[in-house]
Amino acid sequence: MRINAVSSGLALEDLTSVLQAPNLDAIVVPKVNRASDLHFITDILRHKLPERHPSSRDASSNPLKILALIESAEAITNLNEICKASPYLSGLIFAAEDFALDLSLTRTPSLTEFLYARSAIATSARAHDLPSTIDLVCTSFRGEEGQRILQEECLQGKGLGFNGKQCIHPSQAEIAQRAFAPGEKEVEWAVRVVTGDKKADAGGQGAWTLEGKMIDMPVVGKAKATVKRAELCGVDVGAVREKWKHQEPE
């Protein structure tokens, strides 16, 4: 559920109503410019729903999550403090249109004017181990051209370190999910790396090669993360493992 910004003076009233919802999973907080914005939200959540604090001992408490919208120059300069501001914080969302307004930018098809901000958001989220990094909205969504642009934006965002994208129309969801999920060849390569590495490790090998490419700890770590993401995306990883169960380290 998205509430009004803390700076609007309406956030407390919003939360008083919203926190009564039985199936509430996350609070989207717009215009998070500084850590104090999330301190305000955190204090209310602790007071209103203490049983859903992330540190609750009750395993079934389903901790609430906060997703913070980053949409100003001030927010970009305060990312480190924002990322540390709340135990509820689960991710950052880049609001490109408001960011463009704040900096008097003109959005272009290449999106290069947003490169610094997008990189900063994805890097900060990773540095503070936030699970969600959600990229800017694609304003084109109708017809084949709109779908092509959406596909390109998703792949660009994935390349910058984002793991999701905002959607403004139901037709965008499937394309975004497919783009951010590991591809068939990506999953196959990752499974081969993980399978081969287990055998290399058992044989006392450190670095090894696969199809002439060096495989070391960072590569294996990325492969394991890819396999885990593929499983979460519903990919039949078991079938791929079965296919490559005889993979040997070269």
Side-chain angles (χ1 to χ4, degrees):
M1 179 69 72
R2 175 173 171 157
I3 63 170
N4 280 291
V6 172
S7 59
S8 72
L10 301 171
L12 176 58
E13 185 178 354
D14 285 350
L15 286 171
T16 300
S17 298
V18 166
L19 295 181
Q20 299 178 54
N23 300 313
L24 184 65
D25 180 62
I27 303 291
V28 177
V29 184
K31 301 188 185 303
V32 175
N33 292 323
R34 58 192 74 85
S36 58
D37 293 330
L38 294 187
H39 294 161
F40 179 85
I41 303 296
T42 298
D43 288 344
I44 295 171
L45 298 185
R46 281 179 171 149
H47 176 71
K48 296 285 188 180
L49 292 175
E51 72 279 5
R52 296 192 65 185
H53 189 276
S55 66
S56 173
R57 296 180 181 179
D58 183 0
S60 63
S61 63
N62 183 25
L64 271 173
K65 294 180 281 289
I66 290 175
L67 296 172
L69 277 160
I70 304 300
E71 42 192 312
S72 70
E74 182 182 6
I76 295 296
T77 61
N78 290 330
L79 277 173
N80 187 53
E81 290 75 20
I82 288 171
C83 288
K84 297 186 292 186
S86 174
Y88 295 94
L89 186 62
S90 181
L92 304 177
I93 306 173
F94 180 43
E97 300 306 318
D98 285 275
F99 184 79
L101 176 64
D102 188 43
L103 272 72
S104 298
L105 300 175
T106 299
R107 180 168 177 156
T108 65
S110 69
L111 303 178
T112 52
E113 61 277 1
F114 298 129
L115 181 59
Y116 173 74
R118 293 165 82 195
S119 295
I121 289 170
T123 301
S124 295
R126 173 51 51 206
H128 293 278
D129 202 27
L130 299 179
S132 293
T133 47
I134 304 175
D135 201 11
L136 47 72
V137 162
C138 177
T139 55
S140 300
F141 64 91
R142 296 193 185 280
E144 292 184 4
E145 180 65 9
Q147 293 182 355
R148 182 190 65 78
I149 294 172
L150 173 61
Q151 174 80 4
E152 289 180 355
E153 283 193 16
C154 287
L155 294 177
Q156 185 189 66
K158 183 179 180 181
L160 288 171
F162 287 87
N163 58 20
K165 190 171 184 68
Q166 298 170 78
C167 295
I168 56 173
H169 191 274
S171 65
Q172 293 183 320
E174 183 180 354
I175 296 172
Q177 288 171 345
R178 185 170 62 248
F180 282 95
E184 182 179 342
K185 291 183 178 179
E186 188 179 0
V187 174
E188 193 166 271
W189 173 262
V191 168
R192 293 178 67 190
V193 169
V194 172
T195 302
D197 189 68
K198 287 182 180 178
K199 296 176 181 179
D201 188 55
Q205 290 180 259
W208 51 283
T209 61
L210 179 60
E211 293 186 356
K213 297 179 180 179
M214 187 183 77
I215 308 298
D216 57 3
M217 285 183 62
V219 176
V220 175
K222 182 180 179 182
K224 289 179 177 178
T226 298
V227 170
K228 182 178 179 181
R229 191 165 74 252
E231 290 173 337
L232 292 171
C233 292
V235 176
D236 188 358
V237 175
V240 184
R241 285 198 179 103
E242 179 63 25
K243 177 182 178 181
W244 292 101
K245 64 182 179 182
H246 299 301
Q247 177 67 57
E248 296 288 338
E250 299 168 3

